[in-house]
Amino acid sequence: MTTRGNAGKGRPKGSRNKTTTALKEAVLEAARLHGSDGNGTDELVGYCRMVAAKDHKAFTSLLGRVLPLSVRGDIEEGGPVSYKVTISFD
C-alpha cells in the first residue's frame, strides 16, 4: 500500500493565496492614499501618473504586467490584424 503523505491537504487548485491577495490590496491602498502629491490627490490614478512622470522604467514595467497578453476577436479571412499601444510622457 502506498501512502500519499500530505497530498490534497493544501490550498485548492486555482484558489488565491491569502497573503498575496492581502499584499496586493495593501499596495493599492497605499498608492491610493499617497496620490500624486503624498496627500491622496487623484488617488490611485494620481499615484500612477506621478510614477509615470518620475520613473518611466518602473511605470512601463508595471504597464507591461497589466496589458493583455493576447487579443481575441473576429477577423476576416486573410485580413490584417493590428494592435496598437501608444505611451506618452508629458
Side-chain angles (χ1 to χ4, degrees):
M1 183 171 167
T2 308
T3 59
R4 293 182 63 195
N6 290 325
K9 293 184 181 180
R11 199 171 66 243
K13 188 173 183 177
S15 68
R16 290 196 172 261
N17 181 317
K18 290 179 185 178
T19 304
T20 302
T21 300
L23 178 60
K24 285 180 183 180
E25 290 172 1
V27 168
L28 290 173
E29 181 67 4
R32 186 187 72 76
L33 292 172
H34 187 280
S36 62
D37 63 355
N39 294 316
T41 300
D42 295 328
E43 297 186 347
L44 186 56
V45 172
Y47 180 78
C48 289
R49 291 183 71 191
M50 185 265 306
V51 172
K54 291 186 176 186
D55 190 346
H56 302 304
K57 186 175 180 180
F59 187 74
T60 54
S61 175
L62 176 64
L63 190 59
R65 293 178 176 271
V66 298
L67 288 175
L69 296 177
S70 62
V71 178
R72 297 174 190 223
D74 296 328
I75 58 171
E76 295 178 21
E77 186 174 327
V81 177
S82 65
Y83 187 73
K84 181 178 179 182
V85 176
T86 304
I87 303 170
S88 65
F89 297 98
D90 298 328

